[in-house]
Amino acid sequence: KRAIVTGASRGIGLEIARMLLSEGANVVICARDPQQLERALNDLRKTANGRKIVGQTADVANPGEVARLFEFADRELAGLDILINNAGVGIFRPAAELTIEEWNRVIGTNLSGTFYCSHEALARFRRSGGGSIINIGSLAGKNSIPGGAAYNASKFGLNGFSEAMMLDHRRENVRVSYIMPGSVDTEFAGE
């Protein structure tokens, strides 16, 4: 299998990429920070066991960068079977204290970025006959939290988007799921 994992330079995304490699997949990872991306690639190459692991810097909130990421994956993997939408931003403060820029960053990454990546993957899945999209959500997509105005909105939206996409594309051999982890000990909050 051939997979893209967004937000894979650390935390959940890094461990998903590691597991995909251990299961025999070839993997493209992305992250915004080139140094973190390179550290993750060096780490993953130690246990790749002959599987391809390559990376590309990309901010999933930028549709142009997403298009370049998928073009990179086309060249490197010669196809796509799995998309893991993991990239996320967590800024936690009451709505009255959020700046417009913070709101846009959270919604742009967590929700719009998932759409941009899924849109690119779906075009490829239509040509190849199917594939899988797994969106990493959060329990905050079901349960509101204090200070979670932007984050809750993005994750509630992600759940609805995932369910609608599943209904729209299930007859095209496209599987769409979302996972809602609770708190995980990573360097996530306040990015």
Side-chain angles (χ1 to χ4, degrees):
K1 300 290 183 182
R2 299 153 302 179
I4 294 176
V5 183
T6 68
S9 64
R10 57 195 172 134
I12 292 172
L14 179 63
E15 295 311 314
I16 290 171
R18 190 181 319 283
M19 183 58 66
L20 286 165
L21 287 166
S22 75
E23 293 293 324
N26 294 314
V27 180
V28 168
I29 64 171
C30 83
R32 289 186 316 247
D33 184 289
Q35 292 160 335
Q36 288 182 357
L37 179 65
E38 194 55 41
R39 275 195 298 274
L41 287 168
N42 289 334
D43 178 28
L44 292 168
R45 286 180 183 129
K46 294 174 189 172
T47 57
N49 294 325
R51 290 295 177 196
K52 187 170 207 170
I53 177 67
V54 291
Q56 170 86 12
T57 55
D59 180 348
V60 299
N62 180 315
E65 290 186 29
V66 168
R68 286 189 290 281
L69 168 67
F70 277 78
E71 289 163 4
F72 174 80
D74 290 341
R75 289 190 304 274
E76 294 292 329
L77 302 180
L80 183 66
D81 303 295
I82 303 165
L83 168 63
I84 311 287
N85 283 308
N86 173 71
V89 171
I91 299 173
F92 300 95
R93 65 176 116 258
E97 297 172 20
L98 274 171
T99 67
I100 291 170
E101 292 77 19
E102 290 170 332
W103 171 269
N104 288 337
R105 184 164 172 218
V106 173
I107 299 298
T109 300
N110 299 0
L111 188 54
S112 297
T114 298
F115 166 73
Y116 301 146
C117 291
S118 297
H119 191 262
E120 291 284 341
L122 288 165
R124 286 153 177 84
F125 293 164
R126 280 191 163 157
R127 291 192 297 268
S128 67
S132 294
I133 297 174
I134 301 170
N135 296 326
I136 306 302
S138 168
L139 286 178
K142 184 178 173 188
N143 304 302
S144 296
I145 56 174
Y151 191 72
N152 284 128
S154 73
K155 295 303 182 174
F156 272 77
L158 178 82
N159 292 350
F161 172 66
S162 300
E163 291 176 16
M165 187 168 43
M166 181 272 298
L167 294 171
D168 289 341
H169 298 286
R170 64 183 173 181
R171 288 180 177 46
E172 300 169 18
N173 197 30
V174 173
R175 290 163 304 285
V176 178
S177 14
Y178 59 98
I179 299 168
M180 297 190 303
S183 297
V184 179
D185 187 13
T186 64
E187 299 170 13
F188 173 71
E191 290 194 12

